[in-house]
Amino acid sequence: MTFISEHKKAIFLIVALGFIVYLFGLLNGFTWDDYPFILQYSGLHEFDIQTLLKPNLYNSGLFYRPITLAYFAILYFLFEQQAFFYHLIQISLHIISTVLLFAFFLRFFPKGLSLFLSLLFLIHPI
C-alpha cells in the first residue's frame, strides 16, 4: 500500500481543514511588505538571471535569497498583480508541507498524535 492510500482519511482531513481555515485569506489583496517586495520592485518584473544573483532588494546585507526572488518573479510572470493566486499557491505549499510533516511524524509517534501535531502546525498562525 502507498502512503496516500493507507492514510487517505488523515490526508483528506489535513487538506480540507487547511482550505477551510485559510479560505477567506484567498480573497485578501496584497499587504504590508508585498508592496515593496512584489508590486513596486522592478527587478522582479523583469525576470533576469543576473538580477537574481547580484545584490538587489532580496539579496542585501546579511541576506542572500535568490530562490525567493526567482519564486516571486515566476509568480509575477504568471499572475502579475492578482493576489488570489499568490495566496492560493502559498496555502497549497503550507498544506503540502503539513502532509509531509504528518508522514515524518508517523515514523516516531502513533497515528493519532502525528495527526494532532500536524494539524497544530497547519493552523498555528491563527
Side-chain angles (χ1 to χ4, degrees), residues 85-100:
F85 295 106
Y86 288 81
H87 297 313
L88 179 65
I89 291 172
Q90 285 297 110
I91 289 169
S92 299
L93 287 173
H94 186 58
I95 291 170
I96 290 168
S97 298
T98 303
V99 171
L100 293 173

Side-chain angles (χ1 to χ4, degrees), residues 93-114:
L93 287 173
H94 186 58
I95 291 170
I96 290 168
S97 298
T98 303
V99 171
L100 293 173
L101 184 64
F102 172 66
F104 177 76
F105 281 157
L106 282 174
R107 295 197 169 275
F108 304 102
F109 305 117
K111 186 175 181 178
L113 182 59
S114 298

Side-chain angles (χ1 to χ4, degrees), residues 5 14 33-34 37 44-45 55 58 60 65 96 105 108 126:
S5 62
I14 291 170
D33 63 345
D34 295 335
F37 282 105
L44 185 74
H45 306 164
Y58 286 82
S60 62
R65 302 175 285 196
I96 290 168
F105 281 157
F108 304 102
I126 295 175

Side-chain angles (χ1 to χ4, degrees), residues 27-105:
L27 304 177
N28 291 341
F30 290 108
T31 59
W32 198 43
D33 63 345
D34 295 335
Y35 290 102
F37 282 105
I38 296 174
L39 300 177
Q40 298 168 350
Y41 183 54
S42 62
L44 185 74
H45 306 164
E46 309 158 2
F47 191 76
D48 179 23
I49 290 293
Q50 289 182 339
T51 304
L52 297 176
L53 302 176
K54 67 182 182 180
N56 55 50
L57 184 62
Y58 286 82
N59 304 331
S60 62
L62 299 174
F63 299 105
Y64 183 67
R65 302 175 285 196
I67 295 174
T68 304
L69 180 58
Y71 170 76
F72 282 120
I74 290 169
L75 288 181
Y76 192 87
F77 174 77
L78 294 173
F79 307 116
E80 292 188 355
Q81 296 185 6
Q82 298 176 16
F84 173 83
F85 295 106
Y86 288 81
H87 297 313
L88 179 65
I89 291 172
Q90 285 297 110
I91 289 169
S92 299
L93 287 173
H94 186 58
I95 291 170
I96 290 168
S97 298
T98 303
V99 171
L100 293 173
L101 184 64
F102 172 66
F104 177 76
F105 281 157

Side-chain angles (χ1 to χ4, degrees), residues 19-30:
F19 278 110
I20 289 170
V21 167
Y22 297 112
L23 181 67
F24 292 110
L26 291 173
L27 304 177
N28 291 341
F30 290 108

